[in-house]
């Protein structure tokens, strides 16, 4: 929800009130109103509508009527009951013309109109919000829906109706370069660039007007059509990743590589993803990035196989999401690959070839330890101890570490990010074997109870799949551009978004959409921000893997983190 109304509203409801029957006619209106708000926050939209409806009655003299009407409409929108939402908002504006939250109501009404396909009326409503406290949010809402509109005739009609709207004009220019452009459009494009002071090199260069470029669909949970104050933090990682991809798009453009991004808002709901993938335009894409959730992996894999279009999961480390599908890839290294590559490094660099492996009793840590032991033994190493621990049992954890025999051990591997485990491991090594190599997660660097100096003094090797070298000039250049454009420092997701699109953008440029076999032949190469990216099987030439095979191993040296297995 937007504006001062939502910011100033407070919820003062005891949990027991949620179990009360819906009897707004007899209970205190304040209780009914607060019940409705809580039900809305719990995403129980139908119940929220039922609770709030009596307060919205025009005959009611309740002071909560306008607020209740607004929340009722919001709940209706979220449950896709567009007519109910529309009717309630019209009633609200007619019955309470002096209500202080009318700008919020106008914003919500525009959202409903967009959902109903009434783009012209929605844009007219958003025009009324120019200069208001929700104008920034209104621009974001407008951009979200205009990007989704792929009907050229309908878009051109909107452009004629709102010729002074810069957002609408710029998105129209983007769509022209993304596939709509015809020679007769040149004058229109030139007028847009001149009138709205757009980048001439981006929109009017020879490469741009030749209508070349690769189409990349982004199926990500942007959640831009939902309440931004509630979803901003939840979807921030997507916003950051997309921002990184946009900077990669700009960098590629300067190198003559045209990448056209098409955004589609998807969630963990299988049917919503299927509806997007069933759109005819998706079959014209050269690459699909997303969806990200495991619940939608099968739908995406089926689309990839049926249409021979490569699909990239940008975040997952679960190899099962792409296993058995030659058109599906993870951008990240899977848990199995991280464990195997760490074991490879340990076997190649530590002697004797004997290990102690301890791991937390969680699924991820158990899986990590399993693949680590499997690979180490496959190479010829011996595992002296292989033990599961529960760091919640502090006494037992301490006893496990204190009972270890470190004689004739080449290294120790500890797979747990718990403070208790980390503290016991470092204490043991400090007292008995400060030169014994220890392999663990880079999450230990964030444990406040252990200082960087302690870790530096020991031989600790960190598995760092998201490592970015901050001493790299490319890092500083990216960070400077990112802050200049978005006014916030980049996150790990911004780095990942940039590296992912830059890498696959170059694959498209060099080999076309069917770049699969070339991934194997390209091997592992240094990235721009990442120390390495590659999909070649390290143990078999010309064999392709479906996740990034390079896993950075880092170590502290004079309190500075550095790579010990660089790509040359």
């Amino acid at each position: 929800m937007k504006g001062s109304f939502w910011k100033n509203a407070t919820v003062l409801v005891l949990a027991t009130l949620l179990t009360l029957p819906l009897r707004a006619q007899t209970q205190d209106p304040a209780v009914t109103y607060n019940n409705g708000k809580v039900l809305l926050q719990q995403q129980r939209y139908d119940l929220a509508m039922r609770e709030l409806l009596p307060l919205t009655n025009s005959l009611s003299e309740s002071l909560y009527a306008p607020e209740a009407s607004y929340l009722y409409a919001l709940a209706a929108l979220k449950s896709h009951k567009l007519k109910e939402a529309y009717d309630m908002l019209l009633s609200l504006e007619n019955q309470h013309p002096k209500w202080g939250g009318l700008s919020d109501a106008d914003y919500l009404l525009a959202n409903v109109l967009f959902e109903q396909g009434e783009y012209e009326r929605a844009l007219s409503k958003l025009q009324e919000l120019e200069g208001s406290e929700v104008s920034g949010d209104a621009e974001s809402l407008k951009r979200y829906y205009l990007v989704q509109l792929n009907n050229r005739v309908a878009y051109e009609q909107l452009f004629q109706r709102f010729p002074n709207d810069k957002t609408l004009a710029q998105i129209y220019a983007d769509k022209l370069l993304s596939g709509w452009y015809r020679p007769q459009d040149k004058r229109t494009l030139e007028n847009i660039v001149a009138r709205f002071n757009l980048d001439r090199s981006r929109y009017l260069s020879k490469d741009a007007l030749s209508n070349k470029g690769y189409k990349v669909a982004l199926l990500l949970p942007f959640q831009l059509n939902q309440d931004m104050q509630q979803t901003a933090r939840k979807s921030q990682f997507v916003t950051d990743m997309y921002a990184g991809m946009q900077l990669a798009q700009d960098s590629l453009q300067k190198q003559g590589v045209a990448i056209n991004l098409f955004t589609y808002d998807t969630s963990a709901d299988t049917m919503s993803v299927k509806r997007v993938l069933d759109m005819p335009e998706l079959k014209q894409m050269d690459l699909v990035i997303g969806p990200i959730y495991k619940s939608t992996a099968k739908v995406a894999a089926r689309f990839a196989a049926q249409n021979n279009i490569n699909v990239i999961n940008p975040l997952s480390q679960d190899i099962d999401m792409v296993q058995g599908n030659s058109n599906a890839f993870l951008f990240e290294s899977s848990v199995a690959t991280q464990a195997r590559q760490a074991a490879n490094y340990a076997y190649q660099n530590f002697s004797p070839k004997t290990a102690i492996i301890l791991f937390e009793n969680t699924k991820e840590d158990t899986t990590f330890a399993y693949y680590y032991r499997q690979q180490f033994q496959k190479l010829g190493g011996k595992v002296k101890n292989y033990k599961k621990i529960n760091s919640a049992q502090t006494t037992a954890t301490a006893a496990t570490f204190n009972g270890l025999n470190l004689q004739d051990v080449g290294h120790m591997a500890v797979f747990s990010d718990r403070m208790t485990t980390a503290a016991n491991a470092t204490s043991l090594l400090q007292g008995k074997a400060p030169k014994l190599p220890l392999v663990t997660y880079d999450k230990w660097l964030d444990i406040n109870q252990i200082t960087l100096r302690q870790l530096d003094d020991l031989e600790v090797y960190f598995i760092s799949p998201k490592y970015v070298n901050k001493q790299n000039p490319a890092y500083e250049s990216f960070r400077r551009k990112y802050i200049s454009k978005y006014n916030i420092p980049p996150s790990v997701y911004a780095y990942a978004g940039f590296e992912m699109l830059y890498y696959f953008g170059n694959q498209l440029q060099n080999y076309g959409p069917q770049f699969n076999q070339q991934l194997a032949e390209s091997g592992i190469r240094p990235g721009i921000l990442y120390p390495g990216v590659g999909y070649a099987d390290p143990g078999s030439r010309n064999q392709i893997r479906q996740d990034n095979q390079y896993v950075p191993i880092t170590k502290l040296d004079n309190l500075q983190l550095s790579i010990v297995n660089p790509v040359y």
Side-chain angles (χ1 to χ4, degrees):
M1 195 178 301
K2 313 295 170 208
S4 58
F5 161 62
W6 183 257
K7 295 176 183 176
N8 295 330
T10 56
V11 180
L12 301 174
V13 181
L14 295 173
T16 52
L17 292 176
L18 298 178
T19 62
L20 292 175
L22 303 178
R23 47 187 175 81
Q25 298 89 341
T26 58
Q27 68 183 10
D28 185 350
V31 173
T32 302
Y33 172 72
N34 284 330
N35 277 349
K37 287 183 67 175
V38 172
L39 290 168
L40 177 60
Q41 291 170 340
Q42 294 175 335
Q43 301 181 9
R44 300 162 70 183
Y45 301 127
D46 288 341
L47 290 177
M49 291 170 67
R50 286 170 52 191
E51 187 77 354
L52 293 166
L53 184 60
L55 295 179
T56 69
N57 194 307
S58 59
L59 299 178
S60 171
E61 297 182 358
S62 171
L63 296 176
Y64 293 97
E67 288 86 353
S69 299
Y70 179 90
L71 294 181
Y72 176 95
L74 180 60
L77 172 62
K78 288 181 177 295
S79 60
H80 304 289
K81 297 181 178 179
L82 301 180
K83 185 179 185 304
E84 288 86 341
Y86 176 80
D87 291 342
M88 184 58 72
L89 288 169
L90 288 186
S91 175
L92 167 60
E93 295 187 351
N94 290 330
Q95 295 180 20
H96 307 282
K98 296 183 179 181
W99 180 51
L102 282 182
S103 59
D104 298 297
D106 285 336
Y107 174 92
L108 191 61
L109 180 56
N111 198 337
V112 172
L113 290 169
F114 275 128
E115 284 291 317
Q116 291 177 323
E118 297 282 351
Y119 275 66
E120 183 174 336
R121 294 180 61 197
L123 290 175
S124 296
K125 180 58 64 176
L126 290 181
Q127 277 189 334
E128 299 175 13
L129 296 175
E130 292 179 1
S132 72
E133 59 187 351
V134 299
S135 58
D137 295 324
E139 283 298 307
S140 297
L141 183 71
K142 181 199 303 181
R143 177 172 291 276
Y144 170 78
Y145 281 99
L146 289 177
V147 167
Q148 306 298 319
L149 181 59
N150 294 315
N151 184 321
R152 175 171 181 148
V153 174
Y155 203 103
E156 288 178 339
Q157 290 174 346
L158 291 176
F159 183 59
Q160 293 173 3
R161 172 69 177 79
F162 303 95
N164 299 320
D165 191 319
K166 181 177 180 178
T167 299
L168 189 149
Q170 185 170 4
I171 295 174
Y172 183 44
D174 290 336
K175 288 179 178 291
L176 287 173
L177 299 189
S178 298
W180 285 4
Y181 184 79
R182 304 164 303 187
Q184 56 266 40
D185 295 319
K186 184 176 181 181
R187 177 166 294 181
T188 299
L189 189 56
E190 288 175 338
N191 290 337
I192 291 174
V193 170
R195 180 169 186 178
F196 297 101
N197 195 29
L198 302 183
D199 185 351
R200 293 184 62 84
S201 63
R202 175 180 174 85
Y203 292 97
L204 298 177
S205 67
K206 183 178 180 180
D207 286 341
L209 297 182
S210 66
N211 198 28
K212 294 180 180 179
Y214 293 97
K215 299 179 180 179
V216 178
L218 308 180
L219 277 63
L220 301 172
F222 292 100
Q223 303 186 64
L224 294 180
N225 62 334
Q226 299 185 29
D227 175 49
M228 289 192 176
Q229 287 190 343
Q230 291 186 17
T231 63
R233 291 184 179 179
K234 192 188 303 183
S235 61
Q236 186 63 45
F237 73 99
V238 176
T239 303
D240 292 350
M241 186 165 58
Y242 180 54
M245 284 191 276
Q246 288 181 308
L247 286 185
Q249 182 185 30
D250 291 342
S251 295
L252 289 167
Q253 181 69 42
K254 292 176 182 176
Q255 299 173 21
V257 182
I259 301 294
N260 304 309
L261 300 178
F262 299 81
T263 59
Y264 300 86
D265 197 0
T266 57
S267 64
D269 177 55
T270 302
M271 291 307 298
S272 70
V273 172
K274 187 177 185 302
R275 281 194 294 270
V276 171
L277 292 173
D278 284 342
M279 294 179 178
E281 65 208 61
L282 263 292
K283 295 179 176 61
Q284 306 303 316
M285 295 295 164
D286 298 303
L287 180 69
V288 174
I289 295 176
I292 66 173
Y293 297 110
K294 189 169 186 176
S295 58
T296 59
K298 288 185 178 180
V299 178
R302 192 180 308 119
F303 170 86
Q306 291 175 348
N307 297 281
N308 197 24
I309 296 175
N310 289 328
V311 173
I312 314 298
N313 187 301
L315 297 177
S316 177
Q317 297 180 358
D318 185 355
I319 196 64
D320 290 339
M321 292 181 67
V322 297
Q323 200 78 51
N325 187 330
S326 61
N327 290 108
F329 299 88
L330 304 181
F331 178 64
E332 300 282 352
S333 302
S334 67
V335 168
T337 293
Q338 291 177 42
R340 289 175 181 141
Q341 299 293 21
N344 287 342
Y345 181 85
Y347 184 83
Q348 294 164 4
N349 292 277
F350 307 144
S351 292
K353 309 303 180 184
T354 307
I356 290 175
I357 302 174
L358 303 179
F359 52 97
E360 195 73 27
N361 64 341
T362 65
K363 180 180 179 180
E364 181 175 345
D365 296 325
T366 301
T367 302
F368 205 107
Y370 168 81
Y371 284 115
Y372 188 94
R373 178 179 67 168
Q374 180 189 63
Q375 183 67 13
F376 191 73
Q377 291 177 330
K378 179 181 178 181
L379 294 170
K382 296 181 180 180
V383 177
K384 185 175 182 180
N385 294 85
Y386 183 78
K387 188 173 181 61
K388 183 182 295 187
I389 56 177
N390 181 357
S391 60
Q393 299 174 356
T394 55
T395 302
T397 299
T400 297
F401 279 94
N402 291 330
L404 293 174
N405 181 0
L406 303 182
Q407 186 175 0
D408 298 323
V409 173
H411 79 283
M412 182 164 64
V414 179
F415 302 121
S416 169
D417 59 5
R418 308 295 171 84
M419 184 275 293
T420 301
T421 299
N424 276 281
T426 53
S427 177
L428 171 68
L429 294 180
Q430 285 172 332
K432 294 184 177 181
K435 296 302 180 181
L436 180 68
L438 168 65
V439 177
T440 189
Y441 302 139
D442 63 353
K443 296 175 184 175
W444 282 29
L445 294 164
D446 298 321
I447 297 177
N448 295 328
Q449 290 84 351
I450 302 176
T451 67
L452 292 181
R453 174 53 63 188
Q454 286 177 286
L455 296 171
D456 198 343
D457 290 340
L458 297 173
E459 295 296 309
V460 185
Y461 294 80
F462 302 99
I463 302 165
S464 308
K466 295 183 183 295
Y467 174 79
V468 173
N469 182 7
K470 296 181 180 180
Q471 307 304 315
N472 183 352
Y475 165 85
E476 186 56 40
S477 175
F478 174 82
R479 180 180 171 84
R480 185 170 57 252
K481 291 177 182 178
Y482 192 96
I483 293 175
S484 175
K485 187 169 184 177
Y486 301 109
N487 297 317
I488 56 173
S491 68
V492 293
Y493 298 105
Y495 299 134
F498 178 92
E499 193 70 56
M500 175 175 55
L501 187 65
Y502 192 90
Y503 177 82
F504 285 106
N506 275 299
Q507 295 298 317
L508 289 170
Q509 175 71 6
N510 294 332
Y511 309 114
Q514 305 307 316
F515 51 70
N516 304 48
Q517 186 55 41
Q518 281 72 26
L519 288 179
E521 297 173 359
S522 298
I524 295 175
R525 298 181 178 179
I528 301 299
L529 300 174
Y530 280 23
V533 182
Y535 290 81
D537 187 334
S540 179
R541 188 175 181 182
N542 293 332
Q543 289 295 313
I544 187 175
R545 291 288 187 177
Q546 291 176 275
D547 62 325
N548 185 7
Q549 291 298 293
Y550 179 70
V551 179
I553 308 296
T554 61
K555 188 177 185 297
L556 284 169
D557 183 11
N558 292 324
L559 302 181
Q560 295 295 320
L561 205 61
S562 60
I563 291 277
V564 297
N565 61 334
V567 177
Y568 297 104

